Amino acid sequence: MNHWRVIDTGLRPAAQNIALNRALLEARQAEEIPSTLRFLRFTPSALLGYHQSAEQELNLDYCREHGIAVQRRITGGGAIYFDETQIGWELYLHKRDLGTADMQRISRRICHAAATAISALGVDARFRPRNDIEVDGRKISGTGGAFDGDALMFQGTLLIEFDVEKMLRVLRIPAEKLSDKAIASARERVANLRDLLGRRPDAALIRSNMVEAFESEFGVEFGDGDLTLSEDQRYRAALREIDHPDWVGLVNRPVADMPILEAAQKFAGGLLRAAVTFDVQTQTLRQVWFTGDFFANPRRAVADLEAALRDLPLARLEQKVEWFFASRAVDMLTLTPADFVAVVRLALKQPLLASNP
Amino acid sequence: MECNGCEFRPELYYDAEFQIWVRIEERGELAVGMTDISQSIAGKILHVRVRRPGTLRPAGKPVATVESGKWAGPVPNLFDCTIAAANREVLEDPSLLNRQPYESWIARVQPAQPLEQALSVLLTGDAAWAGYQARCRRDGIACKRLPA
């Protein structure tokens, strides 16, 4: 049987945690360490995805005023807020551990195991493609990955008693998403273990469930360990690079290249508002939010539509919205899929058939 | 030429894992791109970042990074070089790498050593074809393209 290692690096500032990401991934790639499960926690931090720009994604004034560190992850995905109310879990693996090279399949396999571990606490957690774990349609764990040669790292959050409002204030989002109603609706879309269980879950139990689930998924046995000397050396070198403004500013695009554009339109089925962060250079919808006064059942359909429109080239908007509503049953009374397209186009002031610059 | 639906171009140069292809350009420059195998494994690519032109990249340090489905990682580099240019079309529409992997170079680089020396660490022709097929079969890789 293969022996893997589990470590807990405790509560640390973001720069240290990200430097450890780099160090352990490099050490795994160099075959200096066994495959490893790491638990970690963060002091308050806004974490950018590897290819994101702080100015475009974060409310930097709020972060400064509240002593929230801004850091860049080595993994992909979107910006998140991470603090002591969450636990982080990470796997450092070699490709031969996985039996497939397909990155989506690797995500799926790891998330299924993590969902099993979370479910063993007494909730019904499931993997939801692309990369989230949910309880009853509410996100409880978000994930992302990084690879380097034959080594890869996959990481996830686990919400224990997370304050959604704080996350909304850290991110650059439309002002109306900070209204009481919008915050309440954002709260409905995430699940905290403390709320679900009615008590703060035992951290040791979470760790042992994760260990068991990954042992069973990969047919291995975990043993406790500490950072090795080579990891510590790699960590110190990585920290010099990562705990530096150049790393955080590695991708630095002006806000003007990604405006938040908004529009509202009255349709027969109700009032529909759209706010869109639009990547002007690549003509891509980065994120779309729908609000307004309309009926949709199931309610999560709107959130699912928002998720489906992430990182979508504008040219494919109509096709994607059509596919979305064709592939599931959503009752919206007289509101139509075309209405969603129309309000997004109105926000962009690019009605259909207008030629893009 | 193809294996499991993965296209192979015998005139190009490859690393031993067939993650990247390299093509000889004018002025002693080399173009670097992702193979059909790499783009299929990655899935739809959402972001590409190339180091600034003029940046020195030692062997082992990536010339570029890519991101797909929340996975981020390097486009590897096997010889010392300087970044000469990034392909603007690919930066603006990274999914070109999924549609036309061999037409879509990512970066052009100037090797530090003579061209022959840089290419000597790469595979081409029959040797590359044999290795390419072996990799496809060993890892059960079947290639998929986004429609052009």
Side-chain angles (χ1 to χ4, degrees):
Chain A
M1 171 151 327
N2 271 333
H3 290 271
W4 290 7
R5 176 182 63 156
V6 56
I7 57 174
D8 188 335
T9 54
L11 179 68
R12 288 172 185 260
Q16 291 185 16
N17 274 330
I18 309 290
L20 281 166
N21 287 156
R22 168 75 68 78
L24 268 66
L25 182 60
E26 282 178 3
R28 187 70 196 85
Q29 161 72 353
E31 304 265 17
E32 293 166 0
I33 57 168
S35 289
T36 294
L37 171 62
R38 173 193 177 209
F39 294 102
L40 64 159
R41 291 189 304 133
F42 284 79
T43 54
S45 316
L47 303 179
L48 297 163
Y50 181 77
H51 286 97
Q52 292 187 311
S53 163
E55 284 74 13
Q56 292 184 340
E57 305 295 334
L58 301 177
N59 181 344
L60 291 173
D61 289 340
Y62 183 88
C63 292
R64 252 189 307 273
E65 285 158 20
H66 292 79
I68 295 167
V70 173
Q71 254 301 337
R72 176 179 304 285
R73 301 192 306 266
I74 67 168
T75 51
I80 58 168
Y81 174 66
F82 214 134
D83 66 10
E84 297 89 339
T85 67
Q86 299 153 78
I87 292 179
W89 55 273
E90 297 174 344
L91 280 172
Y92 297 83
L93 306 175
H94 193 280
K95 277 186 187 162
R96 67 173 169 260
D97 296 330
L98 291 155
T100 175
D102 182 307
M103 306 306 269
Q104 315 305 320
R105 275 165 64 186
I106 292 169
S107 307
R108 202 156 53 220
R109 191 165 172 203
I110 295 172
C111 286
H112 272 303
T116 305
I118 298 167
S119 293
L121 295 166
V123 299
D124 181 17
R126 287 160 196 237
F127 171 53
R128 177 187 168 208
R130 289 181 286 189
N131 287 45
D132 290 335
I133 298 168
E134 292 188 347
V135 174
D136 208 9
R138 302 164 75 187
K139 175 165 164 173
I140 195 164
S141 176
T143 64
F147 58 91
D148 184 4
D150 287 331
L152 56 90
M153 170 185 76
F154 195 80
Q155 63 186 188
T157 55
L158 183 57
L159 308 185
I160 309 292
E161 40 191 346
F162 178 59
D163 180 5
V164 174
E165 178 171 353
K166 193 138 194 196
M167 181 191 72
L168 295 176
R169 293 192 184 279
V170 163
L171 300 179
R172 178 173 166 253
I173 57 173
E176 70 179 54
K177 296 307 283 182
L178 289 167
S179 72
D180 291 349
K181 193 178 155 196
I183 290 170
S185 116
R187 280 213 172 92
E188 275 178 28
R189 290 178 28 203
V190 302
N192 271 307
L193 269 179
R194 189 192 175 127
D195 299 337
L196 295 170
L197 299 172
R199 64 190 144 74
R200 202 172 198 288
D202 178 28
L205 182 63
I206 294 174
R207 283 197 292 270
S208 65
N209 283 358
M210 286 271 181
V211 164
E212 263 177 46
F214 290 124
E215 279 183 338
S216 135
E217 176 67 34
F218 294 105
V220 297
E221 200 166 89
F222 279 98
D224 286 329
D226 289 311
L227 288 182
T228 63
L229 284 178
S230 82
E231 280 170 319
D232 189 59
Q233 244 168 24
R234 290 182 183 277
Y235 162 67
R236 284 168 201 280
L239 189 61
R240 279 193 293 277
E241 182 190 342
I242 283 167
D243 193 11
H244 194 281
D246 286 354
W247 167 257
V248 181
L250 189 71
V251 177
N252 193 356
R253 289 184 298 255
V255 173
D257 284 356
M258 204 168 77
I260 300 182
L261 304 167
E262 300 181 69
Q265 195 171 354
K266 192 124 181 76
F267 299 98
L271 177 75
L272 190 54
R273 276 194 207 94
V276 183
T277 43
F278 185 57
D279 191 327
V280 176
Q281 278 185 346
T282 63
Q283 294 284 298
T284 300
L285 305 170
R286 287 293 167 210
Q287 202 171 349
V288 180
W289 295 268
F290 293 110
T291 51
D293 187 13
F294 61 90
F295 174 85
N297 184 43
R299 278 162 72 189
R300 67 166 296 164
V302 177
D304 288 344
L305 176 62
E306 291 172 353
L309 299 183
R310 264 187 177 260
D311 296 317
L312 182 74
L314 177 61
R316 296 189 44 229
L317 174 65
E318 287 70 23
Q319 190 190 345
K320 190 78 171 186
V321 171
E322 207 169 287
W323 164 85
F324 178 86
F325 286 104
S327 61
R328 71 207 70 206
V330 186
D331 180 10
M332 299 193 292
L333 302 178
T334 52
L335 200 67
T336 67
D339 298 340
F340 286 89
V341 172
V343 74
V344 171
R345 290 274 178 191
L346 186 67
L348 302 179
K349 298 193 172 49
Q350 293 197 5
L352 195 55
L353 303 179
S355 60
N356 295 337
Chain B
M1 298 165 88
E2 63 175 60
C3 174
N4 288 357
C6 301
E7 185 183 351
F8 176 81
R9 301 261 176 112
E11 72 279 14
L12 300 175
Y13 292 78
Y14 302 88
D15 65 298
E17 289 291 307
F18 302 93
Q19 302 172 78
I20 57 164
W21 57 259
V22 171
R23 188 176 64 210
I24 301 169
E25 303 288 333
E26 63 273 24
R27 299 191 304 274
E29 288 179 5
L30 296 172
V32 180
M34 281 171 85
T35 60
D36 205 2
I37 289 179
S38 282
Q39 72 80 18
S40 296
I41 287 173
K44 191 180 171 195
I45 294 159
L46 294 173
H47 296 282
V48 177
R49 175 173 172 270
V50 178
R51 296 287 173 144
R52 254 197 318 278
T55 317
L56 275 167
R57 301 308 288 163
K61 291 288 178 188
V63 291
T65 52
V66 295
E67 180 175 330
S68 64
K70 294 198 187 181
W71 285 96
V75 175
N77 168 40
L78 281 84
F79 42 81
D80 297 350
C81 65
T82 304
I83 306 287
N87 185 349
R88 286 230 67 85
E89 285 181 21
V90 165
L91 296 185
E92 285 174 15
D93 182 4
S95 70
L96 281 172
L97 298 173
N98 300 111
R99 297 172 206 280
Q100 306 170 325
Y102 297 110
E103 279 74 31
S104 309
W105 56 277
I106 296 172
R108 283 173 68 149
V109 302
Q110 184 79 54
Q113 307 96 344
L115 207 57
E116 300 72 41
Q117 208 176 324
L119 294 172
S120 69
V121 300
L122 303 172
L123 298 166
T124 190
D126 288 341
W129 175 226
Y132 191 89
Q133 294 175 88
R135 168 92 211 272
C136 283
R137 293 192 182 122
R138 184 187 75 214
D139 293 336
I141 297 165
C143 287
K144 293 181 292 259
R145 292 274 180 95
L146 283 181

